[in-house]
Each structure stands twice: as structure tokens, then as C-alpha cells.
Amino acid sequence: MENFNPDLEEKMKKAARKFRRGVLTGAGAAVVLVLGLGSYYNIEEQEQAVLTTFGIAASVTEPGLHFKFPLIQRVQKVNTTIQGFALGYDQEDNASREEDSLMITRDYNFVNVDFFIEYKVADPVKAVYASQDPVLILKNISKSCVRTVIGSYDVDSVLTTGKNEIQATIRSMIVEKLEEHDIGLQVVNVTIQDSEPPTAEVMEAFKAVETAKQGKETAINNANKYRNEKLPGAEAEIDRIMQEAQAQKTQRINEANGEVARFNAMYEEYVKNPQVTKLRMFYEAMEDVLPRLKVIIDGTGQVNTMLPLDSFMGAGSQQVQPSAAGTDSKGVGVPQPSSTAGSGGDVQTDGAASDTGSGN
């Protein structure tokens, strides 16, 4: 008791109270600081947020600084940019993963097909709370749809001509199944990165087939080009021939009509006086025939004896001139008086020939 100092004890009590007040003040300041900092959150341009108030979720889509009640409201941010994942290969080293890429086609051929699926978040609330891992669900749906569609096409379509159609069909099927699951994700695009046979020998065979198809297309294009070059000329030639034929047809018709008109006019005259018309026609025919006909009559009184002496005479020989007969301008004998009637060698006159012809 002798060492008891009331002043020292009082000082100790004051120090303890001061320490407690400092601790409480610091703790309060820390709480206020934490609560103050937790009252605000920021949303970037390519983000959306899910704000939960007493377990009720709502989406916040406006970018910028937002306020929330600490300890009452919780915020979970969601990336809304277009994202993607690979099927059939590793994105880091592009190594093939046959457990996902090896598939069987409709015609029972094996192919390795690599896909890249692009997606984005369409509904942040469903993307956060509708499932534990929506991306995993999307991957499983994509694998199922890819195998289903590839199995409905033949190997030639998968490797060459049907890629665009296959991509569109897969995308439509994935969209339909996502609507059934309703996990808040949306498929943007489905792309076939690569498709090839599983072995090198088969790959070479398909390359040869593809080369042959390209050669076929080239030949068809060249044939169409040649056709397009030649067709206008052929059509022009057809038009020319048709025009010439039409002109010749018109000419023949006009000539025929003229002949018919001439014949009808001649027939009208013939009906008026048949005998005179016959004689005129006969004389006209003789005028056309006799100048080109050279006949020697032997003078025996037989008018049907004709000697084709021109065939035995050379082109340069002189014509036989009878001693007792003259010639007219056409080279045909003219009648002269003869002292020896009916003797051989006398040449009959042109008039006798004409009379003979008339008699016949």
C-alpha cells in the first residue's frame, strides 16, 4: 500500500480510454471508407451488369458510374463482346483434337472437320443465373449439332461444295436449341476452319478429285466462251441466208406470176384463132431452131434422108458449096433451076427443107 500512487493509476485509466476511442474512431473510419467505396461501380462500354437486391436480379446496360447500396445490393459484371471457341482443334497451337474433329458422313466416310463458334451474351441475367456454366452448355449443343449435320451430308459436300450450306444449317440448329435451353447466349457465326480426310492417301485422292472438278469447270467455261463468240456470227449468217432465201422466193413467185399472166394472155389469143396461133408458134420455134441446124439433103426425093456431115468435118474446113445452087445470107441453099432433075448430089433448097418440115 505504501507504493500505491493514485495519480499514476488515473493516468493509466485516461490512456486506456484514449486508446479505446482511437481504435473505435479508426474502425469507424475504415467502415465508412469501405462502405463509401462499395457504393459505386463502373460499367465499361463492352460490359453489362447484373444488380441483385435482396435476391432479385436486374440488368444494368448503361455504361458509366452507378450507385448501389452496400451490403444490400451486389453487382456482377458480364462481358457482352463477341467471343468464340474452337471445336476439333486447339486454339493455342492449332493441334487437331480427333475426339471432336473426327466424324462420319452420310456415305460412311470419315472426315476431320474443325469449327469455330462465335457467340455473345444476349441476356446478362439468364447468362449469370439460368445455368452454372452456359458456355459449357453451348459447347455441348454445338458438338451435337455439328455431328448431326455432318452425318446428313456426303463426304464430297463436306470437303468441297457444301461448306456454306453446312455452316448455315448448323447455326440454325444451334439457335433453335439455345432457345429451348434459354441460357442467355446467342450464336453469331459458325465457320468451318478446315475439312480433310483422315489419312494422307485419301487426302491425295480427294485433291485429285478436286483438281478434276476444277478442270471440268474450266472446260465448261471455255466452251461457253467459244459458244458466246461463235453464236452471234452464226445467227447473223442464219439471218443472211434467210433473207436471201426470202428474196429468191419472192423473185420466183413474181416470175411464176408473170409466166402465168403471159400464158393466160397467149391462151386467150389461142382460143380466138387456134390454127393461126399454132402456125405462129411453129414458125417461131423453127426460127429459133433452124439457124443452129445444118442439114444436107441428097436430092433423091427422100426427104427423110439427112446426113450429119458436120460431125465429120473439121472446125477449120470450108463448107461445101453446091455448084448448081446459091446460098442465102444464112448459108442455106437457095433454089436454082436444074437440067438434070432428080440427079444425085443436087442440094435441095431451104424452101424445100421448109416445105418438108411443113409437110411432116
Side-chain angles (χ1 to χ4, degrees):
M1 296 298 293
E2 292 180 356
N3 296 328
F4 177 75
N5 190 348
D7 294 335
L8 180 59
E9 183 179 359
E10 185 66 24
K11 289 180 180 180
M12 293 179 62
K13 288 180 180 180
K14 288 181 180 181
R17 287 195 298 268
K18 187 176 181 180
F19 177 74
R20 285 195 298 269
R21 284 195 302 268
V23 171
L24 292 175
T25 301
V31 170
V32 171
L33 180 62
V34 170
L35 293 177
L37 294 177
S39 299
Y40 297 93
Y41 63 96
N42 184 43
I43 298 179
E44 300 293 338
E45 187 68 29
Q46 300 294 333
E47 291 181 337
Q48 291 185 9
V50 178
L51 181 64
T52 305
T53 305
F54 298 112
I56 300 175
S59 63
V60 180
T61 60
E62 294 293 332
L65 192 63
H66 297 269
F67 174 80
K68 70 180 182 66
F69 294 101
L71 305 178
I72 297 176
Q73 293 181 321
R74 297 180 57 190
V75 176
Q76 187 169 354
K77 297 180 181 181
V78 178
N79 185 3
T80 58
T81 59
I82 296 177
Q83 306 174 70
F85 57 85
L87 290 180
Y89 70 99
D90 193 343
Q91 285 184 267
E92 295 181 357
D93 56 4
N94 289 329
S96 178
R97 299 172 57 185
E98 289 194 354
E99 63 272 15
D100 293 331
S101 65
L102 187 61
M103 307 177 195
I104 188 170
T105 61
R106 182 180 62 188
D107 49 357
Y108 305 105
N109 286 294
F110 288 96
V111 291
N112 282 327
V113 188
D114 300 335
F115 286 88
F116 189 78
I117 313 297
E118 295 177 281
Y119 70 94
K120 69 177 182 179
V121 175
D123 189 332
V125 176
K126 292 179 180 179
V128 174
Y129 293 104
S131 62
Q132 184 176 1
D133 192 348
V135 177
L136 179 60
I137 295 175
L138 176 59
K139 287 183 179 180
N140 293 332
I141 291 175
S142 300
K143 291 179 182 179
S144 174
C145 294
V146 164
R147 292 188 178 276
T148 301
V149 174
I150 293 297
S152 63
Y153 285 84
D154 55 32
V155 65
D156 190 49
S157 299
V158 175
L159 296 177
T160 56
T161 59
K163 291 184 178 180
N164 292 332
E165 183 179 350
I166 291 173
Q167 292 173 170
T169 305
I170 292 174
R171 183 181 181 279
S172 299
M173 187 177 294
I174 294 175
V175 169
E176 182 179 351
K177 290 186 177 297
L178 282 179
E179 290 178 354
E180 296 176 359
H181 288 78
D182 197 17
I183 57 176
L185 298 183
Q186 176 185 354
V187 172
V188 177
N189 193 23
V190 176
T191 306
I192 296 179
Q193 297 293 97
D194 191 16
S195 59
E196 59 184 13
T199 62
E201 292 80 4
V202 178
M203 188 182 303
E204 290 299 325
F206 275 104
K207 286 182 180 179
V209 171
E210 185 65 20
T211 302
K213 288 184 177 180
Q214 293 177 358
K216 173 186 173 183
E217 294 296 329
T218 302
I220 292 175
N221 293 334
N222 291 336
N224 290 331
K225 178 182 177 182
Y226 180 79
R227 173 181 176 271
N228 294 332
E229 291 176 352
K230 296 297 182 181
L231 189 58
E235 291 176 348
E237 183 67 15
I238 290 173
D239 292 338
R240 186 185 65 79
I241 294 174
M242 292 295 294
Q243 291 176 2
E244 290 181 356
Q246 187 66 30
Q248 188 174 6
K249 171 187 173 183
T250 304
Q251 180 182 358
R252 293 289 181 87
I253 291 175
N254 294 335
E255 291 177 355
N257 290 333
E259 291 292 331
V260 170
R262 189 174 66 83
F263 179 81
N264 289 335
M266 186 181 296
Y267 181 72
E268 291 177 359
E269 298 298 328
Y270 172 78
V271 171
K272 294 178 182 179
N273 198 338
Q275 187 63 29
V276 173
T277 304
K278 286 181 180 180
L279 289 174
R280 182 176 62 80
M281 293 176 66
F282 173 76
Y283 292 148
E284 290 177 354
M286 290 298 101
E287 285 180 356
D288 184 57
V289 172
L290 287 178
R292 298 190 302 271
L293 181 65
K294 296 180 180 180
V295 178
I296 297 178
I297 303 174
D298 61 359
T300 59
Q302 301 294 329
V303 297
N304 59 350
T305 303
M306 299 183 181
L307 302 177
L309 299 180
D310 279 352
S311 60
F312 300 101
M313 300 172 62
S317 63
Q318 298 181 352
Q319 297 181 356
V320 177
Q321 299 294 336
S323 59
T327 58
D328 62 1
S329 60
K330 296 182 180 180
V332 181
V334 295
Q336 296 290 338
S338 176
S339 59
T340 307
S343 62
D346 293 338
V347 179
Q348 297 295 326
T349 66
D350 186 32
S354 299
D355 292 339
T356 303
S358 300
N360 291 335

